Amino acid sequence: MHGPYLGEFMGTLVLILMGDGSVANVLLKQSKGESSGWIVITTGWAMAVVAGIFTATAFGSPGAHINPAVTLAVAFLSGDWSHVAFFWAAQILGAVAGASLVYLTYLPHWKVTPDPSTKLGVFCTAPAIRNLPANLLTEIIATTCLIVVGSTFSSKAVSSTGLAIGLGPWFWGALVWAIGLGLGGPTGYALNPARDFGPRLAHAILPISGKGKSDWGYALVPIVGPLIAGCLGAGIIKLAGIR
């Protein structure tokens, strides 16, 4: 059993399981990786992207978007909108499932971690300085970078024959790693509406010991910002003639 929707579900599940898992490893008390820092988190997310793309592809989604902003950009560029809603649904459900598995993996650690904001930080992003217009701008810039630079990997100007099979996911992982290191400080670099919304929803519904609120007042920033960037990125790609 395979197909594009299952591929998007499984790829996003793996992305969140490994990405949020790396955050849990750093933030939660008495974890082996406690306090190991930002480099571990950014590296974990980079490798999670690689694993998620390979998984999505193997399960039947050759485009391996695992990100609603990428799906939106592809729809604008191709003119094919038939899969957008189904891809988004699969990506969000996969993100909820992945976050739920992180919760189960670190089950004893929620009780010994006292700070509710730390627990929420395992699941979703939060700004270093809460300024919603500035936070939105950061997400737009970072995600536009993701869309535009990512599109160059398959450009004929880079390689007339295209990338070797299996190389593309590593390039995407390196790109997300660079974005995290360079642009991730202000907001935690969501880059992906499903990556933030799905785990935030999981946080709201899971019986996490001592959890606080899910901060829905901020939730639109990591959803709207990347979607705006998907449109902007597609426009830049079209104007530049990248193909």
Side-chain angles (χ1 to χ4, degrees):
M1 179 174 140
H2 66 280
Y5 307 135
L6 179 61
E8 290 298 316
F9 173 86
M10 290 300 301
T12 310
L13 184 157
V14 168
L15 170 72
I16 301 303
L17 174 60
M18 295 188 175
D20 276 356
S22 69
V23 182
N25 192 27
V26 172
L27 295 186
L28 296 181
K29 294 296 182 181
Q30 298 182 35
S31 165
K32 295 289 188 179
E34 183 183 352
S35 300
S36 51
W38 187 245
I39 302 300
V40 171
I41 290 174
T42 55
T43 305
W45 273 109
M47 296 300 101
V49 168
V50 176
I53 293 174
F54 274 122
T55 301
T57 303
F59 273 85
S61 181
H65 299 173
I66 61 174
N67 182 339
V70 173
T71 299
L72 184 61
V74 169
F76 267 111
L77 291 168
S78 67
D80 181 5
W81 294 82
S82 61
H83 296 290
V84 171
F86 298 106
F87 269 37
W88 285 5
Q91 290 155 0
I92 291 168
L93 290 173
V96 171
S100 299
L101 290 174
V102 172
Y103 163 70
L104 292 173
T105 301
Y106 285 88
L107 197 57
H109 296 267
W110 306 105
K111 188 174 182 179
V112 299
T113 302
D115 182 23
S117 63
T118 297
K119 296 172 187 177
L120 178 61
V122 170
F123 292 88
C124 53
T125 62
I129 299 174
R130 197 179 187 97
N131 180 317
L132 297 188
N135 304 149
L136 181 67
L137 181 61
T138 295
E139 285 294 337
I140 291 171
I141 291 170
T143 311
T144 301
C145 179
L146 176 76
I147 301 293
V148 174
V149 177
S151 73
T152 67
F153 298 156
S154 58
S155 170
K156 292 180 181 178
V158 174
S159 174
S160 60
T161 58
L163 292 176
I165 293 175
L167 189 58
W170 293 99
F171 278 44
W172 280 96
L175 174 58
V176 170
W177 196 10
I179 291 173
L181 292 173
L183 306 176
T187 62
Y189 71 118
L191 307 177
N192 180 339
R195 171 267 175 275
D196 194 274
F197 175 67
R200 196 182 297 269
L201 184 59
H203 175 272
I205 62 179
L206 287 170
I208 301 166
S209 176
K211 72 175 180 181
K213 296 181 179 179
S214 301
D215 193 13
W216 292 105
Y218 181 74
L220 279 179
V221 170
I223 294 173
V224 174
L227 292 178
I228 291 173
C231 301
L232 285 175
I236 292 169
I237 292 166
K238 272 194 172 184
L239 284 174
I242 298 173
R243 57 182 179 168

